[in-house]
């Protein structure tokens, strides 16, 4: 059997239709959209059509969409541009403890330059509590940035409730929707979102392209100096093939969202049920209901996830121990710490993220391999041996008492 890819939260393969849509813009339609001649103007029209399409997908206006080089850039831009709003140097940002590093590290940098940042805690399933948010709002709060859905545990935040509070108090609300966009419905009007980041490579588009939505009227500072692209706010010749590819990918994602949701949720729940039933000393991380359709995050006691990932790789199964950005680091991720995974489970985290090309047959194989590999690793674990000995002596003690 060919390899099984279960790391769609890290990235997805580009759909062939997307590649086909991009191809002409490398050679035949290579023109710079800022030039005055006709072929350039045709390219300009095409990228403006993508802007309209993205806007309509999230319920925004085309002039509220800015193309970026991906999610990281959109996140950095949103925070740095809005943190010091109204010239309030030393403003206050509210975010959460489980944001992607594109947000977390930017917040740390803003703190170093004088901003105050409040990191809202999350509960054991990874959700912030609205009451905590309300309590932390200050007179000088300039921005609330809470992710739509988490990249490690898949937990979806109460976005509409956050938007409602932010709007009542006239505080801009940014959400990192990199994992959510293309997977679950987004409506910036209904959910009262003021800024939103997304990235094409998470919904079967190309890497290195994304967008930032910014509600009209917000004082967005420019990110890059240079030409007048993106209304003078993000200079640089547009990544035309990337933008075209992102448009095509989003068009297809919109069409298939519901069927993918049903299919992936079924596979997700099947995996979770079988893994927790058939492999003892296993826990599920994240939320049972407010969870991305494709996210499975489990932790095995007496197992080191780095070793497990290597064994899975040898079986041609691609998975992740936490955020892709954290791979190579043995320490439990900030998300795993934030949801207070018990210490016996912290080092045995496994993230499996499903995609539309996965099959039920693959799910079955993954469970079979996991059962074998977890057992293999436990056999080599001195902690597991100690644990079994302790259990045995407890049992013997019980038997003696009963006699
Ligand atoms: N935000 C989240 C939640 C992510 O999962 C990622 C990537 O994994 C990013 C931001 C960064 O996006 P990009 O890879 O497009 O820079």
């Amino acid at each position: 059997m060919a390899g099984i890819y279960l790391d769609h939260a890290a990235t997805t393969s580009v759909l062939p239709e997307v590649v086909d849509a991009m191809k002409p813009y490398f050679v035949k339609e290579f023109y710079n959209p800022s030039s005055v001649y006709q072929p350039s103007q045709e390219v300009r029209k095409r990228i403006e059509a993508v802007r309209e399409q993205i806007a309509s997908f999230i319920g925004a206006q085309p002039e509220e969409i800015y193309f970026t080089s991906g999610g990281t850039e959109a996140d950095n831009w949103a925070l740095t541009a809005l943190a010091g709003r109204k010239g309030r140097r030393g403003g206050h940002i509210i975010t959460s403890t489980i944001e992607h590093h594109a947000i977390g590290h930017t917040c740390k940098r803003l703190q170093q330059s004088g901003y105050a940042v409040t990191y809202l805690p999350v509960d054991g399933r990874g959700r912030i509590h609205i009451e905590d948010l309300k309590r932390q709002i200050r007179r000088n709060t300039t921005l609330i940035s809470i992710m739509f859905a988490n990249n490690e545990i898949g937990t979806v935040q109460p976005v509409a409730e956050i938007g409602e509070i932010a709007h009542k108090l006239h505080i801009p609300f940014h959400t990192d929707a990199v994992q959510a966009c293309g997977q679950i419905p987004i409506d910036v009007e209904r959910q009262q979102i003021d800024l939103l980041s997304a990235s094409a490579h998470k919904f079967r588009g190309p890497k290195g392209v994304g967008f930032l939505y910014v509600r009209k009227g917000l004082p967005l500072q420019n990110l890059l100096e240079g030409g007048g692209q993106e209304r003078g706010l993000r200079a640089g010749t547009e990544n035309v093939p990337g933008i075209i590819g992102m448009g095509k990918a989003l068009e297809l994602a919109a069409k298939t969202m519901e069927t993918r949701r049903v299919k992936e949720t079924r596979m997700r729940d099947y995996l979770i049920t079988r893994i927790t039933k058939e492999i003892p000393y296993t826990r599920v991380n994240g939320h049972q209901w407010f969870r991305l359709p494709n996210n499975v995050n489990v932790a095995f006691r007496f197992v080191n996830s780095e070793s497990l990932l290597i064994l899975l790789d040898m079986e041609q199964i691609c998975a992740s121990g936490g955020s892709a950005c954290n791979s190579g680091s043995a320490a439990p991720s900030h998300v795993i710490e934030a949801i207070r995974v018990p210490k016996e489970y912290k080092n045995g985290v496994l993230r499996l993220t499903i995609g539309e090309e996965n099959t039920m047959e693959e799910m079955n194989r993954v469970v079979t391999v996991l059962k074998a590999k977890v057992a293999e690793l436990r056999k080599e674990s001195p902690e597991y041996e100690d644990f079994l000995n302790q259990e045995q002596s407890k049992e013997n003690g019980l038997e003696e008492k009963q006699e």
Side-chain angles (χ1 to χ4, degrees):
M1 186 189 276
I4 301 175
Y5 183 73
L6 279 173
D7 204 14
H8 292 83
T11 198
T12 58
S13 67
V14 181
L15 279 167
E17 296 94 313
V18 171
V19 177
D20 287 346
M22 291 171 73
K23 268 184 196 159
Y25 295 89
F26 287 104
V27 182
K28 205 162 149 267
E29 312 291 341
F30 66 91
Y31 305 96
N32 187 326
S34 297
S35 300
V36 291
Y37 30 84
Q38 193 56 33
S40 284
Q41 290 312 302
E42 288 304 315
V43 175
R44 162 70 52 210
K45 270 192 211 150
R46 285 290 295 121
I47 66 172
E48 291 313 317
V50 173
R51 204 186 301 277
E52 275 174 34
Q53 181 208 336
I54 292 173
S56 104
F57 181 73
I58 61 166
Q61 303 298 317
E63 59 275 26
E64 296 174 319
I65 304 297
Y66 298 85
F67 297 125
T68 67
S69 68
T72 301
E73 182 185 311
D75 281 346
N76 273 251
W77 190 8
L79 287 193
T80 50
L82 263 292
R85 198 171 56 100
K86 292 186 192 153
R88 284 192 262 186
R89 208 186 120 74
H92 174 234
I93 304 160
I94 300 178
T95 186
S96 83
T97 48
I98 60 161
E99 299 294 314
H100 187 271
H101 289 323
I103 294 290
H105 289 177
T106 310
C107 282
K108 290 273 171 332
R109 185 156 55 83
L110 287 167
Q111 271 179 298
Q112 283 159 7
S113 47
Y115 295 97
V117 180
T118 299
Y119 298 89
L120 290 181
V122 291
D123 61 24
R125 297 182 293 179
R127 283 196 120 202
I128 66 141
H129 284 201
I130 293 295
E131 290 310 312
D132 287 339
L133 170 65
K134 284 186 191 161
R135 261 198 302 278
Q136 294 300 339
I137 291 173
R138 303 180 193 168
R139 289 168 75 104
N140 69 336
T141 302
T142 39
L143 183 69
I144 295 171
S145 179
I146 305 286
M147 71 199 318
F148 209 116
N150 184 265
N151 44 305
E152 294 188 39
I153 54 174
T155 301
V156 178
Q157 296 297 336
V159 174
E161 280 122 291
I162 301 169
E164 194 185 335
I165 288 161
H167 265 212
K168 262 191 205 145
L169 299 172
H170 307 291
I171 302 167
F173 168 39
H174 167 254
T175 189
D176 173 344
V178 168
Q179 292 292 336
C181 186
Q183 280 231 60
I184 50 178
I186 296 175
D187 184 333
V188 295
E189 276 312 313
R190 202 176 48 76
Q191 292 159 326
Q192 305 194 53
I193 298 165
D194 298 307
L195 300 103
L196 177 143
S197 313
S199 181
H201 74 105
K202 306 292 184 179
F203 51 83
R204 310 207 66 182
K207 293 167 185 60
V209 63
F211 67 88
L212 177 67
Y213 146 79
V214 184
R215 188 179 287 279
K216 225 189 301 181
L218 277 178
L220 185 67
Q221 288 165 26
N222 49 338
L223 177 72
L224 298 175
E225 304 290 346
Q229 293 91 350
E230 301 304 292
R231 290 179 289 288
L233 296 176
R234 199 274 185 194
T237 302
E238 295 87 345
N239 171 4
V240 176
I243 292 167
I244 300 292
M246 173 162 66
K248 189 71 189 172
L250 203 57
E251 178 197 320
L252 298 171
K255 275 191 195 146
T256 59
M257 189 147 66
E258 186 50 21
T259 45
R260 277 185 293 124
R261 188 190 65 75
V262 172
K263 179 183 161 184
E264 290 171 19
T265 305
R266 208 179 69 233
M267 288 187 185
R268 175 196 74 185
D269 294 344
Y270 180 78
L271 272 186
I272 291 178
T273 308
R274 281 204 59 196
I275 291 172
T276 49
K277 256 199 193 147
E278 296 176 35
I279 306 180
Y281 314 115
T282 300
R283 59 168 267 140
V284 181
N285 300 317
H287 207 286
Q288 190 180 1
W289 309 116
F290 300 113
R291 184 178 202 109
L292 287 175
N294 74 338
N295 177 286
V296 174
N297 191 305
V298 286
F300 304 106
R301 210 176 154 186
F302 313 111
V303 168
N304 176 286
S305 65
E306 298 290 309
S307 313
L308 180 60
L309 289 178
I310 293 168
L311 294 185
L312 292 178
D313 187 23
M314 285 161 71
E315 295 290 325
Q316 292 181 294
I317 296 172
C318 303
S320 168
S323 165
C325 316
N326 285 342
S327 64
S329 138
S333 77
H334 65 291
V335 178
I336 294 306
E337 294 289 2
I339 60 169
R340 298 175 291 283
V341 172
K343 70 174 188 315
E344 316 84 77
Y345 286 91
K346 263 190 209 173
N347 293 317
V349 173
L350 177 72
R351 179 186 75 177
L352 304 168
T353 43
I354 302 157
E356 62 187 313
E357 69 280 24
N358 288 127
T359 62
M360 241 10 210
E361 192 192 354
E362 289 177 334
M363 301 302 114
N364 285 324
R365 176 160 150 74
V366 166
V367 176
T368 307
V369 172
L370 263 181
K371 279 165 74 173
K373 298 304 165 189
V374 166
E376 200 176 311
L377 289 171
R378 282 178 176 165
K379 232 187 250 166
E380 293 162 11
S381 155
E383 290 86 24
Y384 188 52
E385 200 182 326
D386 287 350
F387 172 80
L388 289 183
N389 288 339
Q390 279 167 20
E391 292 295 294
Q392 191 60 54
S393 39
K394 266 191 228 161
E395 245 176 57
N396 292 347
L398 262 183
E399 275 168 20
E400 275 168 26
K401 262 191 199 159
Q402 278 164 359
E403 275 165 13

